[in-house]
Amino acid sequence: MTSTANRSALLVTHTGRRHSTEHAASIANDLVRAGFEVRVVASEIGDLDLPPGVTPVFGPSAAEGVEIVFALGGDGTFLRAAELARPNKAPLLGINLGKVGFLAEAEISDIDQAVADVVRGAYTVDERLTLDVKAELDGELIAESWALNEVTVEKGQRAQMLELRVDVDGRPLSRYGCDGVVCATPTGSTAYAFSAGGPVVWPEVEALLLVPVAAHALFSKPLVTAPTSTFVITVDPYTSVATLCADGHRVFDLPPGAKVTVRRGAQPVRVVQLAPRPFTDRLVAKFDLPVLGWRGTKRR
């Protein structure tokens, strides 16, 4: 049995959903009863009916020193919680209260058992590869960020195609007239990169993905490269404006001529695993794959 002395947890939830706030209150009660210090992001605390003693926290240091961060919601909530967990090296546990929730470790039905496992210390922690990205114009830094799932360079005007040149490891690869390019991690291979036609990569694999989106080119296949590779995506000086987006919500404008550099992140995201589970099972469950086939198992 793990001692609860000086143990603490941060709760991040989707406050716009009533059942999310109810589950957050239930988890907070269970953790407080188990002797945890429970923290909640200050901007969310007014929407939650929480027990006495819960601590409101502010800013990027909200997860500093905590044993674990709970993300209660869908993948968007998980990615938002990752922003707080990553700089503080705090393990992140996702509990899916949304629809697919591919990043979550547990479902709604698992909440009580998940909290009990955390209290007992019955969990392990995996490190997930991330991306670091910076954008420059004429040698001047104009944007900098990171991503757990993906970094995208996309067209900024719906009616106009984007012209991009892609270099890999310092060598030119191809020029695309396209809607954009997705640079993804194995964790993000089941997100935007998957929708754009990229491969599913097991999260234990160390690799980077590059997936063109709706490219007008003879060669527009998705690429899987070494984790040490560097992608440089240059927005053609004579094309339209573009947009740089990290994990779907950190967005920056890219003027023509901008150069975007993407490489493996210096700091991973630490993700909680409650029990060993083959990634194949997660794929089948989340995508509802037809394991039996449309004819089932009966033979005539």
Side-chain angles (χ1 to χ4, degrees), residues 196-225:
V200 174
V201 180
W202 262 233
E204 297 86 357
V205 175
E206 293 201 336
L208 304 182
L209 284 72
L210 188 144
V211 184
V213 180
H216 291 244
L218 292 177
F219 179 82
S220 59
K221 298 296 185 182
L223 304 179
V224 180
T225 73

Side-chain angles (χ1 to χ4, degrees), residues 101-184:
F102 207 97
L103 297 172
E105 173 67 10
E107 301 296 323
I108 293 177
S109 58
D110 305 323
I111 286 181
D112 291 342
Q113 185 61 52
V115 174
D117 288 344
V118 169
V119 171
R120 292 188 299 113
Y123 62 88
T124 57
V125 178
D126 297 331
E127 290 192 344
R128 295 292 183 90
L129 184 151
T130 60
L131 300 173
D132 284 342
V133 57
K134 65 177 181 179
E136 299 171 292
L137 182 64
D138 298 329
E140 180 181 348
L141 183 68
I142 58 174
E144 191 168 19
S145 192
W146 71 280
L148 173 60
N149 269 355
E150 76 276 313
V151 168
T152 64
V153 176
E154 303 176 72
K155 62 182 184 181
Q157 296 180 2
R158 181 178 178 85
Q160 294 187 1
M161 184 183 298
L162 187 61
E163 296 285 344
L164 300 174
R165 194 184 92 170
V166 175
D167 293 26
V168 179
D169 297 331
R171 304 300 302 164
L173 173 73
S174 189
R175 186 182 297 273
Y176 303 113
C178 58
D179 285 354
V181 170
V182 180
C183 304

Side-chain angles (χ1 to χ4, degrees), residues 176-300:
Y176 303 113
C178 58
D179 285 354
V181 170
V182 180
C183 304
T185 66
T187 301
S189 71
T190 53
Y192 191 177
F194 177 82
S195 299
V200 174
V201 180
W202 262 233
E204 297 86 357
V205 175
E206 293 201 336
L208 304 182
L209 284 72
L210 188 144
V211 184
V213 180
H216 291 244
L218 292 177
F219 179 82
S220 59
K221 298 296 185 182
L223 304 179
V224 180
T225 73
T228 53
S229 288
T230 299
F231 303 144
V232 176
I233 302 163
T234 304
V235 182
D236 194 297
Y238 306 104
T239 193
S240 59
V241 296
T243 298
L244 170 65
C245 187
D247 277 343
H249 64 280
R250 293 185 292 277
V251 182
F252 309 89
D253 291 332
L254 294 175
K259 181 181 292 187
V260 176
T261 302
V262 182
R263 54 171 51 94
R264 180 178 187 161
Q267 190 169 345
V269 170
R270 305 180 70 218
V271 177
V272 169
Q273 186 177 36
L274 296 175
R277 183 187 184 190
F279 184 67
T280 307
D281 290 351
R282 183 181 293 266
L283 276 180
V284 170
K286 296 295 185 179
F287 289 146
D288 194 20
L289 299 182
V291 175
L292 298 180
W294 64 272
R295 292 181 296 180
T297 57
K298 293 183 179 180
R299 299 290 183 187
R300 294 184 180 228

Side-chain angles (χ1 to χ4, degrees), residues 48-134:
L48 304 173
D49 184 16
L50 297 173
V54 172
T55 305
V57 285
F58 301 84
S61 62
E64 184 175 358
V66 301
E67 176 184 326
I68 192 167
V69 176
F70 285 83
L72 312 175
D75 285 342
T77 303
F78 188 95
L79 292 171
R80 186 161 53 86
E83 291 187 64
L84 300 174
R86 177 177 178 257
N88 297 288
K89 300 181 180 178
L92 177 57
L93 172 60
I95 298 179
N96 180 33
L97 306 181
K99 295 179 181 178
V100 178
F102 207 97
L103 297 172
E105 173 67 10
E107 301 296 323
I108 293 177
S109 58
D110 305 323
I111 286 181
D112 291 342
Q113 185 61 52
V115 174
D117 288 344
V118 169
V119 171
R120 292 188 299 113
Y123 62 88
T124 57
V125 178
D126 297 331
E127 290 192 344
R128 295 292 183 90
L129 184 151
T130 60
L131 300 173
D132 284 342
V133 57
K134 65 177 181 179

Side-chain angles (χ1 to χ4, degrees), residues 15-38:
T15 57
R17 295 175 178 163
R18 181 177 176 182
H19 70 289
S20 296
T21 59
E22 291 173 350
H23 287 302
S26 175
I27 290 174
N29 273 292
D30 289 346
L31 291 173
V32 168
R33 282 197 297 266
F36 274 68
E37 176 210 357
V38 178

